[in-house]
Amino acid sequence: MKITKRLCLNLILPVCFAVVGVILLYAVSLIPQSAIFPQFRQSALQLSRKSDYVFDNERMAYIMDYNTDASILIESYTLRADEPENVLLNPILMPGTVLQSDAMLAMCDGEAPNVNYVRYWMGFRLLFRPLLLAFAYDSIGWLLSLAFFTLLVLTLAKIGGRLGTRTAACFGLALVLVNPAVAAHSPQFFCCFALSFLMMLYLLRDGRRLPISTCFVCFGILTQFFDFYTTPVMTLGLPLLLCLEQKLFAGKRIRGVLSSLVAWLYGYVGMWLTKLVMTSIFTSEDGLYDGLMSLLGRLEMLPEQGGAAYHAPDALRTVWATVFPGKLLWPTLAVFLAMLLYVVAAYFKTPEKEERELIGAELLTAAIPLVWFSVAAQPTCIHAWFQYRGICVSFCSLFLCLSRAVGLQKRRRGAAR
């Protein structure tokens, strides 16, 4: 009976979160346009002066998506109380130029939105519309960076205190490899990192927690609501590794990984479909058709689409080249493959069933981002310069497995003496 109640709760969670999300988005729409207009205009001027790279080079990992950041501020600005349907319609201005900073300036001069971008929730508006009351883009970026590193330090400190320095170091090193300094102050890049840190802090809290399956349904829902596209696999993989390290799966680790994956995907997809259905029912837009056609296009499943085809090896190679560019590509790949072989050998040599299953479950988790990149080869190749950061889950998994394998080897040598 208890399991049935939990299953029913998990099944209705996307609808419950959707209703709450709509109410909250409408609540922030009550902020007067006149109060945020000066900061919106200042943000447009600041963004119009930005270049593509944080530093003066062409390394993909240093690219800033100022265009999407501008779109985020536009969506936050067009969330108006006098047009409540905008909660679901997400109006935006798409001018002849692809630069959304130009669209921001045009809107400051009175030009109206001309496109409804209905396929996403855009829950980030809960954060950025209130911030526009007092801050323009550059100041918002500084605040995001402060929040990012505060959450990161708190998370690593909590992991270190609960699970030891080894585990905290593995998480920290994995995040260092995906250039957190660039992600920290971008409205687009910030969300999935912040969600991951908050989710891990929740899993580390003392006292009672929701059942793990319910946690991951909620994690998938929140990811879909705030950031559908950037690096969603992080909010699955990093909390999942923390569950494994804390032994929260009651000895059934591989089964726990798979069931949590299903729960997260249900929350992620269920929340998305709920948004599309609500848009189709309550507005004049066919949200379901728009969203599903976009998905099929991204997965290259539309027979009439033309252009170049994208393949899984291309996506994986592009991701790796973003992390380790130029002459670093092949040496680092060789090092990581050697690490992987060592871990696999340790898996087969480890007599302790519990340790062997833990290594296997973490290797399974390491494969999740690689499968994600491979299935979504087109968006991965096109937007690898920010989507690549999901590979930090694979890095963290491998570091945890390697450090555990080395520790087991040392213990066996000590016992042999």
Side-chain angles (χ1 to χ4, degrees):
M1 180 67 71
K2 189 175 181 180
I3 295 176
T4 303
K5 288 182 178 179
R6 185 188 307 168
L7 179 60
C8 292
L9 171 64
N10 290 347
L11 289 174
I12 65 171
L13 278 174
V15 176
C16 297
F17 270 83
V19 172
V20 173
V22 167
I23 293 171
L24 292 175
L25 285 168
Y26 180 73
V28 298
S29 76
L30 297 173
I31 297 172
Q33 292 294 95
S34 59
I36 66 174
F37 177 78
Q39 291 71 241
F40 180 77
R41 184 176 185 82
Q42 186 179 358
S43 298
L45 294 172
Q46 291 172 352
L47 281 162
S48 67
R49 296 191 291 265
K50 303 291 185 185
S51 60
D52 290 335
Y53 294 86
V54 177
F55 301 112
D56 187 18
N57 59 43
E58 294 185 357
R59 181 180 171 185
M60 288 178 66
Y62 289 116
I63 298 178
M64 291 294 296
D65 194 358
Y66 292 119
N67 201 55
T68 300
D69 285 353
S71 297
I72 287 172
L73 295 184
I74 290 176
E75 294 288 1
S76 301
Y77 182 71
T78 60
L79 184 64
R80 301 166 51 127
D82 59 338
E83 298 176 357
E85 68 275 10
N86 287 358
V87 168
L88 295 173
L89 290 178
N90 311 331
I92 195 168
L93 176 62
M94 299 292 284
T97 176
V98 296
L99 295 177
Q100 285 296 294
S101 57
D102 293 343
M104 290 181 71
L105 291 170
M107 292 182 69
C108 291
D109 293 333
E111 194 163 343
N114 59 359
V115 173
N116 291 324
Y117 204 12
V118 299
R119 70 188 66 132
Y120 305 142
W121 270 104
M122 303 195 181
F124 52 73
R125 295 175 290 179
L126 291 181
L127 173 64
F128 294 111
R129 186 171 174 88
L131 282 176
L132 283 171
L133 274 169
F135 305 103
Y137 177 81
D138 286 341
S139 296
I140 289 174
W142 186 89
L143 290 171
L144 294 180
S145 185
L146 178 63
F148 181 104
F149 286 107
T150 299
L151 288 172
L152 175 58
V153 169
L154 287 174
T155 303
L156 293 180
K158 191 74 172 178
I159 292 173
R162 180 67 61 84
L163 300 171
T165 303
R166 176 192 71 87
T167 306
C170 290
F171 277 91
L173 180 57
L175 289 165
V176 165
L177 289 177
V178 295
N179 226 339
V182 173
H185 65 274
S186 164
Q188 183 196 7
F189 302 157
F190 169 84
C191 284
C192 282
F193 281 92
L195 287 172
S196 298
F197 299 153
L198 290 169
M199 291 167 185
M200 287 191 285
L201 287 170
Y202 176 78
L203 292 171
L204 288 162
R205 70 190 292 270
D206 297 318
R208 294 185 62 183
R209 289 185 298 265
L210 292 170
I212 295 301
S213 62
T214 305
C215 285
F216 277 90
V217 172
C218 294
F219 294 168
I221 288 170
L222 290 171
T223 305
Q224 178 64 235
F225 183 73
F226 283 100
D227 190 337
F228 173 88
Y229 187 73
T230 310
T231 47
V233 74
M234 286 179 57
T235 69
L236 165 64
L238 295 181
L240 193 51
L241 290 173
L242 197 57
C243 288
L244 290 169
E245 289 293 311
Q246 290 190 96
K247 301 179 181 179
L248 297 181
F249 291 130
K252 300 177 181 178
R253 294 178 177 84
I254 293 178
R255 179 179 175 182
V257 169
L258 295 175
S259 62
S260 298
L261 170 61
V262 171
W264 186 91
L265 284 172
Y266 172 74
Y268 181 77
V269 176
M271 186 66 167
W272 183 57
L273 292 175
T274 303
K275 162 64 168 69
L276 301 182
V277 170
M278 290 176 71
T279 302
S280 296
I281 293 174
F282 297 111
T283 74
S284 59
E285 295 281 343
D286 190 346
L288 198 58
Y289 176 83
D290 181 85
L292 292 178
M293 291 301 290
S294 175
L295 174 65
L296 293 175
R298 286 297 189 187
L299 297 180
E300 299 186 288
M301 297 174 65
L302 295 177
E304 67 272 14
Q305 71 180 16
Y310 297 87
H311 305 287
D314 300 325
L316 296 174
R317 184 167 51 250
T318 304
V319 166
W320 195 265
T322 305
V323 187
F324 302 109
K327 294 181 179 180
L328 291 173
L329 192 153
W330 294 112
T332 53
L333 184 59
V335 169
F336 274 84
L337 287 175
M339 292 165 57
L340 179 61
L341 289 174
Y342 183 89
V343 169
V344 171
Y347 172 82
F348 287 106
K349 289 181 179 179
T350 300
E352 299 92 338
K353 181 180 177 182
E354 183 176 346
E355 293 290 348
R356 189 168 62 249
E357 188 178 3
L358 184 53
I359 291 174
E362 289 183 341
L363 286 176
L364 177 60
T365 305
I368 292 174
L370 306 182
V371 174
W372 184 280
F373 295 142
S374 299
V375 172
Q378 186 210 67
T380 299
C381 288
I382 295 173
H383 295 133
W385 42 279
F386 62 78
Q387 291 209 344
Y388 84 95
R389 290 188 173 92
I391 203 174
C392 72
V393 174
S394 301
F395 289 153
C396 189
S397 303
L398 189 56
F399 294 154
L400 288 168
C401 290
L402 179 66
S403 59
R404 179 172 291 104
V406 170
L408 289 171
Q409 182 71 11
K410 285 183 177 180
R411 287 201 295 272
R412 282 198 292 269
R413 288 176 179 173
R417 294 174 185 173

